[in-house]
Amino acid sequence: MFYKLIKVGNSVGVTLPRKLLDLMQLEQGEDVMIEPNMETRTIVIKPVSVAKEQVNKSVIEGTAKFIKRYPKALKNLAGK
């Protein structure tokens, strides 16, 4: 299947046909994770639920602790 990249505001997007969304059990508005592979010039799109299953739980717990410990610093960084 070949698709054209289209302009969407200041970004670029690609449309996914309904049959593919149904096959992958994805819905409009669902959050997905996009993983680029620069070596192969490919992009993998995963539902967030699948991506979360593949993340090491200790990384998630450590990140949550970090966010809880340094909220002011993170808010300052976000504002820059």
Side-chain angles (χ1 to χ4, degrees):
M1 293 185 260
F2 294 95
Y3 298 93
K4 188 174 290 230
L5 296 174
I6 58 172
K7 183 171 176 57
V8 180
N10 289 329
S11 300
V12 174
V14 62
T15 58
L16 302 175
R18 170 56 45 198
K19 286 183 181 181
L20 178 61
L21 293 173
D22 291 344
L23 177 67
M24 300 307 298
Q25 299 176 356
L26 292 170
E27 293 293 329
Q28 178 181 337
E30 186 172 347
D31 290 330
V32 294
M33 185 172 136
I34 299 176
E35 296 178 344
N37 183 322
M38 299 309 291
E39 291 179 18
T40 61
R41 295 187 65 201
T42 58
I43 298 171
V44 175
I45 301 173
K46 296 179 185 180
V48 169
S49 58
V50 171
K52 284 182 179 178
E53 291 172 5
Q54 296 174 346
V55 175
N56 185 323
K57 290 186 181 190
S58 64
V59 172
I60 295 171
E61 291 169 1
T63 302
K65 287 180 184 178
F66 184 86
I67 291 169
K68 188 174 180 179
R69 185 171 181 179
Y70 300 105
K72 288 182 182 179
L74 292 170
K75 284 183 182 179
N76 288 337
L77 287 171
K80 293 185 178 193

